Amino acid sequence: MNIHIFHGFGDVLRDVTMALSPLLILFLFFHFFFLKLPLRRLIDIGIGFLLSYFGLAFFLQGVHIGFLPIGEIMGEKLGTFPHEWVLVIVGFILGFFAVYAEPAVAVLNRQVEKVSAGYIPQKLLLYTLSIGVGLAVALSMLRIIYGISLWYFILPGYIIALIMINYSSKAFTLIAFDSGGVATGPMTATFILAMFVGIASVTEGRDPLLDGFGMVALVALAPILSVLTLGILFGRKEKRQDGDLESGSKGNRHHREEG
């Protein structure tokens, strides 16, 4: 086994310990003073906590030795590609599958389907978020290629989102804003962000600091707009179904009156 892949792993373990310790202390406090869970349940939670601890540690180590370097290398190679329009297509594909494989997005989709009793299908929400983020990454590619200011995307985007709230249901509005935070998870914030920094570093006239960053802001906005759009479409579908039911009931009542 190559020992160098665990270089700096001690620092990662220390950081994960610092991050999870308050959660563990808070849980133990509630357990001893309020919850008093049975021993079997406590063992299951402890095993789950350990799996989460080492899973997060190994994931972060993999990010440091794999995700970040390969993202930067891919970005540097793509930035020197003569056909710039290819970057837009590549950006959409990477954005789509980054969210498709995002664990936090999968958890959100399952929770939404469960709470809505299947009214909002898990797959439909997953594809909505994936397409939205894919378009956001593609737009970020255009921003780097042509040096467009981030404000030209962010300001109109949130204005449109605020307008769309008035035409979408409360449930979809809440899901939309949660989706914006969930979509900017470790897949997007590690691999794709590193790739953008690599592209900006080899693109003439671009600053990796000014042009390489900002992509995450667009990714956070895209799910909000896409889920709000889905909410508006669901609202129209409900109104159409209500109209059909109302017209059907009127027809039945009229038929009874004639009889």
Side-chain angles (χ1 to χ4, degrees), residues 1 9 15 39 67 70 76 82 90 94 118 120 129 151 173 183 187 189 225:
M1 179 182 295
F9 190 56
D15 293 340
L39 181 62
F67 263 35
I70 195 174
E76 292 172 359
V90 171
L94 290 176
I120 306 174
L129 294 175
W151 284 107
T173 300
M187 294 292 291
L225 295 175

Side-chain angles (χ1 to χ4, degrees), residues 40-198:
R40 180 60 189 173
R41 183 62 174 165
L42 196 61
I43 292 174
D44 291 341
I45 293 175
I47 293 173
F49 187 88
L50 285 175
L51 291 175
S52 300
Y53 175 83
F54 286 107
L56 183 58
F58 283 120
F59 174 79
L60 291 176
Q61 183 69 9
V63 165
H64 291 319
I65 68 173
F67 263 35
L68 291 177
I70 195 174
E72 292 181 2
I73 292 171
M74 284 184 61
E76 292 172 359
K77 295 298 181 182
L78 288 172
T80 58
F81 202 73
H83 305 290
E84 294 179 336
W85 58 270
V86 176
L87 297 180
V88 180
I89 299 175
V90 171
F92 176 82
I93 294 173
L94 290 176
F96 181 94
F97 285 104
V99 172
Y100 194 88
E102 180 64 60
V105 171
V107 173
L108 174 70
N109 292 340
R110 283 196 296 269
Q111 290 293 324
V112 170
E113 185 178 55
K114 179 181 177 181
V115 173
S116 66
Y119 175 70
I120 306 174
Q122 183 179 160
K123 285 292 184 181
L124 179 61
L125 188 57
L126 175 62
Y127 284 117
T128 300
L129 294 175
S130 299
I131 292 172
V133 172
L135 292 174
V137 177
L139 287 175
S140 297
M141 288 289 190
L142 288 175
R143 190 177 74 86
I144 287 183
I145 293 172
Y146 296 105
I148 305 173
S149 174
L150 184 64
W151 284 107
Y152 289 107
F153 296 101
I154 295 297
L155 190 59
Y158 277 103
I159 291 175
I160 294 172
L162 292 175
I163 295 173
M164 293 175 69
I165 288 174
N166 298 318
Y167 301 96
S168 183
S169 66
K170 291 182 179 179
F172 277 97
T173 300
L174 298 174
I175 294 170
F177 281 90
D178 273 350
S179 300
V182 169
T184 55
M187 294 292 291
T188 303
T190 55
F191 176 73
I192 298 183
L193 182 60
M195 185 184 67
F196 269 78
V197 173

